Amino acid sequence: MANSTPNIVVLISGSGTNLQALIDAHDRGELPANLSAVISNRPNAYGLERAAAAGIPTEVLDHTGFDSRELFDQALQREIDAYAPDLVILAGFMRILTEGFTQHYSGRMLNIHPSLLPKYQGLHTHQRALDAGDDCHGVTVHFVTAELDGGPNVVQAVVPVLPEDTAETLAKRVQVQEHVIYPLAARWFSEGRLRMAQGRSLLDGETLPDSGHIIDSRN
């Protein structure tokens, strides 16, 4: 990867807003990588149209056609590896991945999660933050490991929780920051600045804190 432009494969399940953020960053010259393919487990995912409009090859691998999670992940791995990716990006890919799959892409697969991990792994993160009375919330990009939403953090964006917030308004504020930090993390990786070693994230050779690099948008 050091001497050539890295290949990125993006996995999606839905509308693909984070995919669009990656496409836009690429088009602005801020993501020095090839967006080699977009693969969806849902045939009607709108993100496939975003990819096609950007001239990116698309693949559909419908998980409902497989008898087990393991068989789907094995087929998905073959589809991904056909593009020889340096990095796999999960952009709203709504699948729990098997351990063998995550190990295969260890250190070269990123995910984004709408909370300040390790807080609020799993679903309904915005409502959970409101129910807990948190004064801040946010989003995390992390390396993927076998533990759900548990890999080492790369970068977090912090947003304020306002007194009048609902889960929907808070989600919109978080999504703005998603579209900032996911292209940033992808750029760091593509430039050879970001890697995972011994279960930690390293940026420019320095071990990041457990939170990852922090971008605070509250100010």
Side-chain angles (χ1 to χ4, degrees):
M1 191 176 84
N3 298 316
S4 61
T5 305
N7 292 323
I8 295 176
V9 169
V10 183
L11 306 186
I12 64 169
S13 295
S15 66
T17 63
N18 276 305
L19 166 64
Q20 189 64 56
L22 294 166
I23 292 170
D24 293 345
H26 177 270
D27 290 348
R28 292 192 302 265
E30 297 172 1
L31 179 54
N34 298 315
L35 295 174
S36 302
V38 171
I39 302 174
S40 175
N41 65 309
R42 293 178 178 165
N44 60 348
Y46 181 68
L48 293 168
E49 296 185 31
R50 296 181 188 270
I56 303 170
T58 61
E59 306 280 353
V60 173
L61 194 67
D62 191 338
H63 65 277
T64 62
F66 293 83
D67 292 334
S68 71
R69 196 176 297 278
E70 288 73 19
L71 287 173
F72 173 77
D73 279 7
Q74 290 166 15
L76 178 60
Q77 183 176 311
R78 289 192 295 270
E79 291 279 350
I80 294 169
D81 287 352
Y83 292 94
D86 298 286
L87 178 64
V88 177
I89 290 182
L90 308 181
F93 189 63
M94 303 304 291
R95 296 282 300 171
I96 295 174
L97 301 169
T98 57
E99 184 173 358
F101 186 89
T102 59
Q103 286 180 347
H104 180 71
Y105 297 108
S106 178
R108 55 195 183 109
M109 183 160 58
L110 295 175
N111 184 43
I112 193 163
H113 182 75
S115 78
L116 298 174
L117 291 171
K119 270 190 164 184
Y120 311 132
Q121 296 167 318
L123 301 175
H124 310 301
T125 59
H126 311 305
Q127 189 60 53
R128 289 159 69 189
L130 292 173
D131 292 345
D134 292 351
D135 61 1
C136 66
H137 186 44
V139 57
T140 306
V141 175
H142 64 94
F143 280 104
V144 176
T145 62
E147 180 187 354
L148 179 66
D149 300 328
N153 291 348
V154 172
V155 56
Q156 291 186 330
V158 182
V159 304
V161 177
L162 305 178
E164 66 274 16
D165 264 331
T166 64
E168 290 74 22
T169 60
L170 187 54
K172 289 179 181 178
R173 193 175 309 116
V174 168
Q175 190 178 61
V176 170
Q177 297 304 317
E178 291 180 24
H179 300 163
V180 172
I181 67 170
Y182 220 175
L184 177 62
R187 187 183 85 200
W188 285 344
F189 190 95
S190 299
E191 292 173 340
R193 298 175 57 195
L194 174 67
R195 63 188 179 94
M196 187 179 86
Q198 298 181 327
R200 301 300 297 270
S201 296
L202 281 73
L203 181 63
D204 296 329
E206 299 291 328
T207 302
L208 288 167
D210 290 346
S211 59
H213 180 81
I214 297 291
I215 296 174
D216 196 333
S217 68
R218 290 175 294 179
N219 300 324

